[in-house]
Amino acid sequence: MEDSLIKKIWDDVLVILKDTIVATTYETWIVPLVPHSFEDNCFCALSGQNLAVQILQKNKKEISKALSQITGQDVNFKVIYDEDLHKQLEKEKQKAKKEEEKEFIKNLENRITSSKYDGLKQMQSSCNLNLKYKFDNFVVGSNNKFAHAVAVAVAKDPGKQYNPLFIYGGSGLGKTHLLQAIGHDILFNKPKLKVKYVKAEEFINDLVNSLAKGMDKAGDKNKKMNEFRNKYRTVDVLLIDDIQLIEGKARTEEEMFNTFESLHNSGKQIVFTSDRSPDKFENTPDRLKTRFQMGLLADIQVPDIETRMAILTKLANDNNIKMPSDVIEFLASVYNKNIRELEGAFNTVSAYTSINEIPLNIDNVKKIIGYSEKRKNVTVEGIIDIVASFYNVSVDDIKSTNRAAKTAFARQTAIYLAKEMTNESFPYIGSCFNRKHTTIMYSHQKVKTDINIDKHLADDIKALTEKINM
Ligand code: ADP
Ligand code: MG
């Protein structure tokens, strides 16, 4: 059928749908559709949004009905995801994002008259402050309540109460998010202040470059270093991400100490994030360590299941995705240590189910994320406990050099199960058993071969696997 006719039919259908379909669905998912073909009673439209296929599933009947009404025959309706359209859409989105950022800067510009504006603009762009990382979209739970509260307090009154603020916690738990949220908040509410966000890695590279450049020409040495110092010492708020990376780098530590002293003495705010608390910085000079500790330490813990569910619910709402509550609970229970991974799983699952037009339910989600029951909550230590009691030997013996046949056998079995049933590396498993990773590799390989010839061992492994999974 001719394209112009297909388009005309679709235009008429849109008129009907506008009144029969919920406005948000209509605007978001139906209006952007591009009518494509009409053959064998099947009307096909393209979408550049991969979620449209899934979302419009439940409006199929209404759309088919409208099509039948216009064409006077029974019509099936189908949406197909189109990569080219998607790319085009992405381009438009990028453009809109740039516009949004421009708007953001412009708003600031209106409020700032002095030359400070340049500094702010620079901060927003050159420091890669991600607009996603704001207080508004940070879900507060018992695990991060304290860190969140003090971050808000610091943003409200920088340099006054908690200086420095030292936020620490495991990977993917929201440290960078909080740190940048402080930056954004100050940028918005105290636009006269000069704020700088820097990853410790950048600080190190910057220092190395300044030192290296200074070497080229003897006379330049001071100039380059002065530039470096000016950059970090002339701000009102310095936000340093992942400070643990400078540990043991003596020259950087010295420069960080001097930067700290200079800022702190003039009442400027400093905020650090780190994957560990200051007392775990083993190779850092005490004078810098005590500076880390002299303000306020705030840790972020692993979020509890309610907080993880709240984060998923927020993601689903923000992305217009209907994720059933049992799926939310399931994902939240599997990804229980790292919010970055939780987000990653959410993205994979929602994209996959929509592209492949399959329902978003637990069975499908399990397949998509490659979930196997056996890996749930199984730890090396847990395995050692169970194997020890199964063979009636002690945990200490398993971890010791004891070579008694019974102990050695239990140990090898535990090593094998640890490798098979967790995602841990050989070196990590080695550390749990007080052994080199090559020993662990050898034991694992040995049991793997023995299972095939030793029925007894195979039965033990089966029984133990069941116990461990219980
Ligand atoms: P870290 O710096 O601790 O490794 P990030 O700040 O990069 O972790 O967080 C990882 C991801 O999880 C980010 O996308 C972040 O937005 C998200 N995230 C972490 N904590 C929260 C929270 N409490 N609420 C909403 N999103 C969060
Ligand atoms: Mg981070």
Side-chain angles (χ1 to χ4, degrees), residues 133 170-177 179 197 199 241-242 244 273-274 340:
Y133 296 145
S171 171
L173 296 184
K175 301 183 297 292
T176 298
H177 191 138
L179 188 66
Y197 165 88
K199 297 185 163 94
D241 209 355
D242 287 324
Q244 79 277 356
T273 71
S274 164
R340 191 176 297 117

Side-chain angles (χ1 to χ4, degrees), residues 302-313 323-339 341-343 345-346 362 365-366 369 371-378:
V302 171
D304 55 23
I305 179 102
E306 286 82 10
T307 309
R308 301 198 300 273
M309 285 171 66
I311 289 172
L312 282 176
T313 307
M323 184 168 274
S325 57
D326 59 340
V327 171
I328 289 192
E329 189 170 351
F330 172 73
L331 282 176
S333 74
V334 176
Y335 295 89
N336 54 9
K337 292 195 187 70
N338 185 321
I339 298 171
E341 284 174 16
L342 184 70
E343 272 190 7
F346 171 87
I362 294 193
V365 166
K366 276 186 182 170
I369 64 171
Y371 175 83
S372 70
E373 311 274 347
K374 65 177 186 177
R375 297 204 190 264
K376 198 182 160 194
N377 287 334
V378 174

